Structure formats: structure tokens, C-alpha cells
Amino acid sequence: MILWIVTIGSSDVQLDSDKANRDKGRTEKQRSNIVWRNWYNDDILYECYDVSFEPQPIFQDVKESYRIVARILGKVYQLSSEKVKQQIETYLTFPLLSNFVEKLKTIEVPDAIAFILTDQSQIFQDNAQRRQPKSPYWQDTCELKPILESYFKQEFPGVELIPLQLSPPDKPGLDDWDRVLNLVQNEFAKIQLEPDIVYVSHQASTPAISSAVQFESLTLFGQRVKFLISNEQDSNLTRFIDRSSYLKRIRRQEALALLKNYDYSGVYQLLKEDIQQSQKAIEQQTLEKLEMAMLWNYAKFKEFLERRLNLSQEATEIWWDENWWQPVYEAAYLAKIRFKQSNMVEAFFHGFRAVEAAFLEWGKHEFKAHIKLDLDNERSYLQPSILDDPKNYFKGAKINLENPKKTNSLGKLKIKFQELAVKLETLGENDQKPKGILLAGEDLYTLFRIEKPNCQNIVDFKRFWAQDGICDKRNKNFHQLQGLSEVEVFKDWEVENLEQWEKRVLVYLNFIAKDNLPQEFTSLEEASLMAKLHQEIEEAIASYQP
């Protein structure tokens, strides 16, 4: 089934001056006026108030058609006798519509035509307003309905006609984009058809109507839409435009809006089909970059970085050893994005996770010679061999067996390793041996304080291991089913706003990883590889030309 949707403008129905009275002694305009004045009487003149009845030339060429105000022409036609109606029809011309009709006849004849009319009578109810010659009221096309129905049936016998009328009940009128879109959506709901192809001609009427019809056609019929456009002055310019160009432009704007909210999955789904059909390498690269961004958005930082860097397996292993800190900054930047998205639970989670992971990744790098990795749970366990490390991590251990309270935290950890070493030596082959001491929590913080003794002089790390510190707040927030406000998150971090939070997190991360960083980062955007990728995606979509 073929459906044609067409907007009707106030100049789409005109008088053909070449068919006017053939009196050679008169000008074209005079001849046109003589015929036109034979069609109305004083009653019709009163009905239309004092708006000029004189036909107005559309173009400078006198051989062109003449325009009658749309509402007046329609009223004259409706109030005329059948004989006069037939006479009027012989003088009517449809400059733009005829171009469309001829083009459709050469391709596919429509089974149904939905034509869109306007009626602003509810807005211009006052007679004084209506009597103003330039009032938009006179440009309404609703009175042309019977003329158009006769024309379409003559051109396409048996066609189903679906008149749609945009009638705003009050101001704003048909120049308001939001109001018009709602009106068009309501009228399109009356199209109870399932067409295979939908031709859309949306050039006529106001820009707001044209845009709304274009948008709603694509929304309802998508891939089935083809746009039929023309030029009133040059019928040779009548042509079809594949909906893909329109859709791509609309989707590009939607994609840019989604990018502002960092919705990479939404952008991917929006553009995937068009990009997959494209043969352009740059568009394929954009899709690949969106896939990387989605990995990052799912907090799969290792997969994201490996795809982003595109390194060989050997080079990747070397890179990870030197840049163990990179996922940490990615997590922190993700927390910042969650703040911007007003997702406070994830903002708190990723922010805390970034600093906690920084301690862990530092420990895995610092003690890699003494770590056993459990592949099942991907946890790292320290082994007793750390006691014999040349760095002598436990030189500050103070152990007092008679008074355990005088044993410091490093001494307690040393005892744990000593006991672990004994167990590993004494247990038999068939006995289940301990995996080691988990590299996490207080034991990890103890080693961190020993290796970086000035940490608390530079920044207050104590909040990560002290009672009622951020670890306790993390547990409280994650073990209850309730949301978090921005105020609550900032309070737990002991800051007042996002800027202070970012500075605090940067101080922690820069200090933890300072021995391996290429520089001290001043912003999370500067540290994150995702920030640069986001910019590349945005620029690619903004510059895309369908």
C-alpha cells in the first residue's frame, strides 16, 4: 500500500491567468479580475469582510498564475452553485501539487492521500482581528478542502482521502514548534493504515508544520519514508529524497544530545544501523569508538584500554606493568560523569572504588614478587617471602609477646606472615594450604604507610582506615536500599561541591601513584583516556555529512 502525506500551503491553489477572459484589449490582470468577479456576489463579499478580493500576481511574469487569499477562494467555491464550481475548476491551477502528482504517476500511484490543512479560527475569533488583511486567519487552508478533494479524486480515481486539520484551540499559533508538533502527532494518529511506502511532501505551510510533519513521518514510518520535493517555478526539480538523509540528520542531533549525557549505548543503538550500511571508514571507526566507550561506561576498564591502545599481547603486558594506575583514573573520571548524570549512588561507588583500587594496584605493583594470584576469584595473596625482601619492609616492626598491646600494626602483620610460613612448611601435600594473606584492607594500608611514611603529612589518608571513616560510610551506603543525595555524598567525602571532590580524589591518586606517573594530573579529564575518546566521538558525529 502506498500513502502520500502532503502539506497544503496558502498558495497551493491559484488562478490560471492564461485561461481568463480572452479579451485581447485588456491586460492579463484585468482579464483575470473580470472572470474572478463573476464568481462572487455581495453576500460572499460580506462573508469575507473587506479583505482585498483582487488577484495578486505570484511572480513578476504576467503569464504566471494569480493568487487569491486561500480562505476567500475556498469560501467562494463552497458558496457557489454547481455550475459556477465547474467553471471555477477550469481556472484553478496547482503549481506545486501538480509537480508532485505527475512525478507520482510515473513511479507509484498512491492508494491513500493524507493532506494537511490549517484552521486558526479559534485564535482569531474577534472580527477586528479577522478584518486585518494580513491576518494569518486568511492564510488558513481549511476552506480549500472540497477543492482539493475534487482535484485528488480527478488525478487518482479511487484514492482514499484522509484530510487532517491543524486547529490550535488558543495561542500560540502555527508558528510555535512545540504546539505544532503536538497537533501533528494528534492528527497523524488518525491515519489507521499500514503502508509499505510513505511519500512525504512537507514543503508547504509554516516551517514549524514542515518540520513537525517531517519528524513525525520518520517517527511513525521510519525506513518506509521517502520524501518528495519540488520547486514551484521549475518542475524539473521535482525528485525523491531517500529518508536516510533526513533520518541521519535527525539522528545526528539526537546522538549529540545523548552524548551530552554520556549515553554511549543510546548513541550506539541510534546510529548502528546507518553506520553498518555505510562504506565510509571514518563512520566504521566511530562505531568502534562507541563500542570502546560502552566498555568504559560499564566500568570494564581493562577491556576498554586494551582496545583503545590496540597493542600486541607482548606490548600490552609491558604497558600494564608501567601504567597500572590508568584504570584507577578511569574509575575516578567515571565517578565524575555519574555526578554530572545525577546518579549519586554510582558516583559514590566509583569514587570510593577508584581510591580503594589505587591502593590495591599500587600494592600489586610494589609487591609483585611476593603475590600469588587466585584465578578463580581474581584476588591477590601475599606470601611469606615478603619477609626476606631486600627492601626490608618490616624493619619498623615492634613485637612484644608479653604485652601484645605494645605490638604495632606492622609487628602484628609480621607475626601473621611468620605463622603463615610455618603452616605452609608443616602441612602435608594433601592438606589444604592457605592461599596467603589477602592484599586488602588494614594489612594493605599498613604496608602503604610503611612504604610511604609521609602520606599523612601531605594528605589525610586516615579517613580510609580510621573508624567511622569513608570505608564505614561506604558499607553503610551500600548495605541499605535507599538512594543518595548530592549533599550526602559530598558530606561523606567531607567536601562541599564537585570541584572540591575532584581535587581531593586527585590528591589521593596522584600521591599513591606518584612514582609511576608521567606527570601530576590536575584534572580527571587530563588523566583519562576516555575524555579524549569522547571528544573524538563528538567531533565525528558533529561533522558527519549524510
Side-chain angles (χ1 to χ4, degrees):
M1 180 180 187
I2 309 299
L3 170 65
W4 180 28
I5 298 174
V6 57
T7 58
I8 303 298
S10 59
S11 62
D12 279 346
V13 183
Q14 301 174 15
L15 286 181
D16 189 338
S17 62
D18 286 341
K19 292 180 180 178
N21 192 305
R22 301 302 180 184
D23 184 349
K24 299 298 183 180
R26 299 181 184 275
T27 66
E28 290 290 331
K29 186 172 182 181
Q30 287 172 334
R31 293 199 299 271
S32 179
N33 274 334
I34 289 174
V35 174
W36 168 242
R37 288 170 182 168
N38 288 334
W39 293 338
Y40 64 85
N41 54 33
D42 290 342
D43 292 336
I44 296 178
L45 183 61
Y46 177 78
E47 174 74 15
C48 297
Y49 309 113
D50 55 0
V51 175
S52 173
F53 268 57
E54 295 231 343
Q56 302 297 317
I58 305 301
F59 307 111
Q60 295 300 315
D61 188 345
V62 295
K63 292 184 179 180
E64 291 288 353
S65 53
Y66 284 83
R67 176 179 174 181
I68 303 295
V69 176
R71 190 180 282 273
I72 292 178
L73 177 58
K75 279 188 172 292
V76 169
Y77 180 87
Q78 292 181 55
L79 295 173
S80 297
S81 65
E82 289 302 316
K83 181 179 179 180
V84 172
K85 283 182 180 178
Q86 292 176 8
Q87 185 184 16
I88 291 174
E89 288 178 4
T90 65
Y91 288 91
L92 295 178
T93 183
F94 305 83
L96 196 59
L97 292 175
S98 62
N99 291 346
F100 294 146
V101 167
E102 293 307 312
K103 191 68 174 179
L104 286 170
K105 285 181 177 179
T106 63
I107 306 296
E108 291 173 299
V109 174
D111 299 291
I113 301 174
F115 57 102
I116 301 168
L117 306 171
T118 62
D119 180 12
Q120 300 175 90
S121 57
Q122 293 300 310
I123 296 178
F124 301 97
Q125 295 187 28
D126 183 78
N127 286 346
Q129 287 182 313
R130 293 185 178 182
R131 287 181 180 276
Q132 296 176 11
K134 293 185 179 181
S135 171
Y137 171 80
W138 297 107
Q139 308 306 318
D140 283 332
T141 55
C142 55
E143 302 292 352
L144 297 176
K145 178 183 172 183
I147 294 177
L148 293 164
E149 288 177 331
S150 176
Y151 172 72
F152 288 136
K153 288 180 180 179
Q154 181 179 340
E155 296 294 338
F156 301 111
V159 71
E160 178 184 351
L161 298 179
I162 308 172
L164 306 176
Q165 187 163 293
L166 307 180
S167 304
D170 48 37
K171 292 184 177 180
L174 296 177
D175 287 321
D176 182 83
W177 294 68
D178 290 336
R179 162 61 67 84
V180 169
L181 180 58
N182 289 332
L183 292 173
V184 169
Q185 288 173 336
N186 292 336
E187 289 301 301
F188 270 36
K190 299 176 182 178
I191 303 176
Q192 301 296 314
L193 302 174
E194 286 297 330
D196 301 300
I197 298 177
V198 180
Y199 294 114
V200 179
S201 302
H202 63 90
Q203 289 175 261
S205 208
T206 68
I209 293 175
S210 175
S211 178
V213 169
Q214 172 188 338
F215 177 83
E216 192 61 15
S217 297
L218 291 169
T219 300
L220 289 179
F221 304 110
Q223 304 291 343
R224 292 172 283 174
V225 171
K226 291 185 178 181
F227 292 94
L228 175 58
I229 66 169
S230 186
N231 184 291
E232 187 174 332
Q233 300 180 60
D234 188 352
S235 61
N236 293 325
L237 296 178
T238 306
R239 66 192 189 280
F240 294 102
I241 297 180
D242 190 79
R243 54 97 193 115
S244 61
S245 296
Y246 283 79
L247 275 177
K248 286 179 180 179
R249 286 186 175 91
I250 291 174
R251 286 172 178 167
R252 179 183 65 181
Q253 296 306 315
E254 291 177 348
L256 291 173
L258 289 172
L259 273 181
K260 289 183 179 179
N261 198 43
Y262 305 91
D263 184 357
Y264 303 111
S265 180
V267 175
Y268 183 85
Q269 294 302 321
L270 188 66
L271 301 180
K272 179 181 178 181
E273 182 178 351
D274 288 334
I275 291 179
Q276 286 179 336
Q277 293 175 356
S278 172
Q279 300 299 316
K280 297 179 181 178
I282 189 170
E283 292 182 26
Q284 299 298 327
Q285 291 171 7
T286 301
L287 200 63
E288 292 172 3
K289 289 178 179 180
L290 283 169
E291 291 173 351
M292 295 180 206
M294 289 163 62
L295 289 172
W296 180 88
N297 216 20
Y298 298 148
K300 296 182 178 182
F301 302 124
K302 183 172 183 179
E303 293 95 324
F304 159 71
L305 290 167
E306 287 178 348
R307 284 195 61 176
R308 177 63 169 159
L309 296 167
N310 193 28
L311 301 174
S312 65
Q313 183 175 355
E314 182 180 356
T316 298
E317 292 177 5
I318 297 173
W319 188 90
W320 276 114
D321 186 59
E322 296 175 349
N323 299 274
W324 57 265
W325 45 267
Q326 188 67 54
V328 168
Y329 286 90
E330 299 299 341
Y333 183 52
L334 181 57
K336 183 177 179 178
I337 296 305
R338 294 295 185 260
F339 272 114
K340 292 183 177 181
Q341 294 173 323
S342 299
N343 188 339
M344 293 301 120
V345 173
E346 285 206 18
F348 182 91
F349 170 73
H350 289 297
F352 177 86
R353 186 189 189 200
V355 181
E356 189 176 46
F359 283 116
L360 176 60
E361 294 301 323
W362 169 84
K364 288 163 67 176
H365 180 76
E366 176 68 25
F367 309 116
K368 57 186 174 184
H370 312 294
I371 285 178
K372 181 179 181 180
L373 179 64
D374 186 335
L375 297 177
D376 292 333
N377 59 21
E378 295 187 355
R379 288 190 172 186
S380 298
Y381 293 88
L382 288 166
Q383 303 302 304
S385 59
I386 194 173
L387 296 172
D388 302 320
D389 192 283
K391 280 193 172 184
N392 193 11
Y393 293 110
F394 294 91
K395 63 183 177 183
K398 295 180 180 180
I399 299 175
N400 190 324
L401 298 177
E402 295 181 359
N403 188 356
K405 291 184 178 180
K406 293 185 178 181
T407 298
N408 62 11
S409 58
L410 188 61
K412 293 176 182 178
L413 182 57
K414 183 175 182 179
I415 291 173
K416 289 173 68 174
F417 276 113
Q418 290 171 339
E419 293 173 347
L420 174 63
V422 172
K423 287 182 180 181
L424 291 174
E425 288 179 5
T426 58
L427 290 175
E429 292 254 350
N430 297 325
D431 294 322
Q432 186 173 357
K433 296 183 179 182
K435 297 176 181 178
I437 295 176
L438 182 64
L439 184 66
E442 182 58 35
D443 292 335
L444 174 59
Y445 295 144
T446 296
L447 291 170
F448 179 79
R449 291 194 296 267
I450 296 304
E451 183 61 19
K452 297 180 181 290
N454 61 339
C455 64
Q456 296 195 66
N457 296 331
I458 297 176
V459 61
D460 185 11
F461 275 107
K462 187 176 181 180
R463 61 172 47 85
F464 283 93
W465 47 75
Q467 269 194 332
D468 197 31
I470 197 166
C471 285
D472 290 338
K473 292 181 172 64
R474 186 275 308 266
N475 294 334
K476 175 201 72 174
N477 290 334
F478 289 176
H479 293 165
Q480 53 188 356
L481 296 176
Q482 65 181 38
L484 285 174
S485 69
E486 186 177 83
V487 173
E488 289 173 316
V489 173
F490 289 147
K491 182 179 179 180
D492 286 346
W493 277 94
E494 299 176 28
V495 296
E496 295 181 357
N497 52 50
L498 180 58
E499 182 181 0
Q500 291 182 7
W501 172 87
E502 181 175 7
K503 287 181 178 179
R504 173 153 290 178
V505 169
L506 279 170
V507 169
Y508 293 147
L509 301 186
N510 285 338
F511 182 83
I512 294 171
K514 67 177 181 178
D515 294 336
N516 299 95
L517 292 179
Q519 67 184 86
E520 184 173 288
F521 297 112
T522 58
S523 73
L524 292 173
E525 284 85 354
E526 182 182 38
S528 170
L529 297 186
M530 183 62 231
K532 175 63 175 174
L533 181 62
H534 178 93
Q535 183 180 352
E536 291 175 9
I537 293 172
E538 191 171 41
E539 290 174 353
I541 294 175
S543 62
Y544 169 60
Q545 296 295 328

